[in-house]
């Protein structure tokens, strides 16, 4: 497996652990629909939260969240719509981004709630 893929897997695991510690209930991990992938689907305060995780080892090319551009946001919204339909859910939703920066053998996590607002 490529080193960047391994880092991404570790970053997603760190993000899941962070969410669990914050009281989120993990519903699905890497849920797929056609060309859409939802990194983490969880629940907190009666909300379904779709979390996009971006992991990097440096910020030389920008913050991890900067890589969640309009095309990626559209895919996340499309995936969320499919998820809600498949699960027959009418709960309120939110889109979050978790940045994971891995440096000096440590994960630094920045959780941006309600980071994508032009959704469903």
């Amino acid at each position: 497996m490529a080193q960047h893929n391994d880092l991404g897997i570790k970053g997603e695991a760190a993000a899941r652990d962070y969410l669990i510690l914050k009281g989120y209930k993990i519903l699905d991990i890497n849920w797929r629909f056609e060309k859409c992938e939802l990194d983490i689907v969880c629940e907190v305060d009666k909300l379904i939260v779709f979390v996009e995780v971006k992991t990097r080892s440096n910020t030389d090319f920008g913050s991890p969240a900067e890589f969640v551009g309009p095309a990626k946001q559209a895919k996340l919204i499309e995936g969320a719509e499919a998820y809600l339909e498949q699960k027959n859910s009418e709960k309120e939703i939110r889109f979050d981004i978790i940045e994971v920066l891995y440096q000096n053998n440590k994960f630094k996590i920045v959780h941006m709630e309600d980071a994508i607002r032009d959704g469903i």
Side-chain angles (χ1 to χ4, degrees):
M1 180 177 291
Q3 188 174 6
H4 71 276
N5 289 341
D6 190 41
L7 180 61
I9 290 168
K10 289 177 181 177
E12 286 185 9
R16 281 194 308 274
D17 292 345
Y18 167 87
L19 290 168
I20 290 167
L21 284 173
K22 294 291 186 180
Y24 287 70
K25 177 183 174 187
I26 305 299
L27 302 176
D28 280 292
I29 298 165
N30 298 323
W31 188 86
R32 294 179 188 274
F33 170 76
E34 295 179 358
K35 294 183 179 181
C36 305
E37 180 181 354
L38 303 173
D39 292 337
I40 301 173
V41 182
C42 51
E43 187 173 19
V44 69
D45 300 328
K46 299 182 183 179
L47 286 173
I48 292 182
V49 182
F50 299 97
V51 181
E52 176 66 11
V53 180
K54 287 295 180 193
T55 305
R56 297 289 184 270
S57 59
N58 62 61
T59 57
D60 293 349
F61 299 103
S63 73
E66 291 179 70
F67 291 87
V68 186
K72 180 63 174 177
Q73 291 178 26
K75 285 290 183 196
L76 293 171
I77 293 166
E78 181 182 343
E81 288 172 342
Y83 184 91
L84 294 170
E85 185 176 320
Q86 186 179 81
K87 303 294 183 176
N88 197 28
S89 177
E90 295 183 9
K91 290 186 177 184
E92 293 291 317
I93 68 165
R94 185 177 80 207
F95 292 93
D96 292 2
I97 297 173
I98 291 185
E99 291 184 332
V100 181
L101 192 58
Y102 185 70
Q103 293 180 318
N104 302 319
N105 295 317
K106 293 181 185 178
F107 289 104
K108 177 185 175 192
I109 294 176
V110 177
H111 184 187
M112 292 171 271
E113 295 181 2
D114 206 16
I116 301 169
R117 296 176 186 239
D118 295 326
I120 301 168

